[in-house]
Amino acid sequence: MTQLLKGKVALVTGGSRGIGAAIAKRLAADGADVVFSYAKSPERAQAVADDIKALGGKVLAVAADQADSEAVTALVKTAHDHFGRLDILVNSAGVFATGVIGDSQADLAQLAHQQSINVGGVVAAVRAAVPLLADGGRIVSIGTMFASRVPFPGIGDYAASKAAVAAYGRAWARDLGPRQITVNTVQPGPINTEMNPQTSDVAQMVKQMTAVGRYGQPEEIAGAVAFLVGPDAAYITGTTLNVDGGQNS
């Protein structure tokens, strides 16, 4: 890996597993000092931190409830104070809950919690980070290709939460452009994680929906994020990048 991010400090929310963990490790491999948050598993968080240390990177893992705006604000401040600066914010924390509209059995509390994390947590993180981010900083949020196309019933609340994040990103790009802070959204397609394994019952059908005929890997999302937060992407902002194997083609 290159050291394009040497001297930069990155905060990755939801960095203890899946896509978030891959992003945290990739940014560290590219030279950044990394702070990442986790919700429930200190053991998983420690494993990611150990991997980053093995790369020679500096890392801090912080427990934070992404649904709690005060906890998110404290997380951002901790990241800044620990390393003395903040250059990169990656909003990766998110949950997935389903429910067909009008279904009397739908778990409305769970759907509301999803909104609190997927939208409220992102907004809280960005609002807390903006005063602390260095000029020329980077913000990347992880969305979903469902924000552009909804191929299944029951995922409207999830799709809407991620579409809101993409819309916020376009607006924030305008707000922060004068400071040369870029804001972009990466929308993954089917990615091989614990929540969506490539060995699931529906995996074969999902693979056939992509142009390349396979699931993506978390490291492929991390690669896209690494590009967007790097020096070569300084003129890319307000953009939604689909990394979906051509599922939306």
Side-chain angles (χ1 to χ4, degrees):
M1 297 292 180
T2 66
Q3 291 288 293
L4 291 175
L5 301 180
K6 189 71 173 177
K8 304 294 186 181
V9 174
L11 169 59
V12 181
T13 68
S16 65
R17 63 178 184 171
I19 290 172
I23 292 169
K25 288 187 275 190
R26 173 58 188 268
L27 300 189
D30 284 355
D33 297 330
V34 175
V35 179
F36 70 88
S37 69
Y38 64 96
K40 296 179 181 178
S41 176
E43 295 80 13
R44 286 177 178 269
Q46 187 60 54
V48 174
D50 289 344
D51 287 344
I52 290 175
K53 290 175 184 176
L55 294 168
K58 297 178 182 178
V59 62
L60 176 68
V62 181
D65 180 357
Q66 201 70 15
D68 182 343
S69 61
E70 292 185 1
V72 174
T73 298
L75 165 68
V76 174
K77 186 177 187 302
T78 296
H80 177 270
D81 291 351
H82 185 80
F83 285 114
R85 62 182 294 135
L86 184 63
D87 303 279
I88 298 163
L89 170 64
V90 181
N91 295 300
S92 181
V95 296
F96 177 68
T98 61
V100 175
I101 192 69
D103 180 3
S104 62
Q105 301 302 311
D107 189 337
L108 299 184
Q110 186 181 46
L111 293 174
H113 184 65
Q114 176 177 246
Q115 291 292 116
S116 296
I117 293 175
N118 292 6
V119 183
V122 172
V123 174
V126 172
R127 285 181 173 156
V130 164
L132 304 176
L133 273 171
D135 288 355
R138 302 283 191 267
I139 299 172
V140 176
S141 297
I142 304 302
T144 175
M145 68 90 183
F146 293 148
S148 300
R149 178 173 177 265
V150 183
F152 311 111
I155 59 174
D157 288 86
Y158 177 71
S161 72
K162 293 298 190 176
V165 167
Y168 267 123
R170 292 189 292 272
W172 290 333
R174 290 287 186 179
D175 292 345
L176 299 175
R179 292 180 53 194
Q180 304 302 303
I181 295 173
T182 67
V183 188
N184 294 291
T185 304
V186 172
Q187 295 191 158
I191 303 299
N192 182 34
T193 63
E194 287 182 19
M195 291 193 298
N196 185 28
Q198 61 187 11
T199 56
S200 70
D201 293 340
V202 298
Q204 191 57 39
M205 177 188 69
V206 172
K207 290 176 185 178
Q208 291 173 354
M209 294 173 65
T210 71
V212 297
R214 67 173 177 86
Y215 270 54
Q217 300 301 319
E219 292 75 16
E220 292 176 296
I221 303 301
V225 172
F227 168 69
L228 289 172
V229 304
D232 291 337
Y235 202 57
I236 300 173
T237 193
T239 292
T240 300
L241 174 62
N242 288 344
V243 186
D244 64 354
Q247 190 168 7
N248 272 333
S249 62

